[in-house]
Amino acid sequence: MKYEFTDDYLTGIDSIDAEHRRLFDLTNECYELVMEDAAEDKYDKIVELLNELRAYAATHFANEEAYMEKINYDKRFSERYQHLRFIQKLDSLALDDIDENQQEELLKILDFLARWLTGHIKNMDCRIPKA
Ligand SMILES: [Fe+2]
């Protein structure tokens, strides 16, 4: 089952919600890749997805952090730290390992992303006040 962007994930800040929706879409692309035939070579698709995810997350985090800075949100440093950890995690993925063990590594990535959607968006971002 795909990951659904339900109202539970809404921050009420339209621009941030639109970007979170895109993060859900990218997580679902990862899900679809997991579901594709495990006998197929998925390496190029995995790398492409990871690059897109890294670039999109960096843009989104910058936008979200600028908003938190603007409203002087007191938890903005915890947010920034978690964002940093997310990017570090993506950067730490070893492409050789992914190539050799595609399905297992892909599941790990999906698990990480799915946890992030709940753990970060729902538990952290949803507390960011609307200006
Ligand atoms: Fe955030």
Side-chain angles (χ1 to χ4, degrees), residues 68 72-81 124 127:
M68 290 187 288
N72 218 8
Y73 180 44
D74 61 352
K75 303 244 172 24
R76 64 195 185 280
F77 298 109
S78 310
E79 278 273 358
R80 273 171 66 176
Y81 180 66
M124 295 277 297
R127 298 196 173 130

Side-chain angles (χ1 to χ4, degrees), residues 20 60-61 64 68 79 83 116 120-121 124-125 128:
H20 285 163
H60 164 60
F61 293 157
E64 201 176 87
M68 290 187 288
E79 278 273 358
H83 294 165
W116 173 267
H120 184 81
I121 296 181
M124 295 277 297
D125 292 342
I128 302 172

Side-chain angles (χ1 to χ4, degrees), residues 34 38 40-43 46 93-109:
V34 167
E40 258 182 58
D41 186 346
K42 307 178 182 181
Y43 182 70
I46 298 171
L93 295 172
L95 295 181
D96 288 351
D97 292 347
I98 291 174
D99 197 14
E100 276 166 33
N101 214 347
Q102 296 183 10
Q103 196 63 6
E104 188 184 326
E105 294 298 318
L106 203 46
L107 276 170
K108 264 197 238 173
I109 296 166

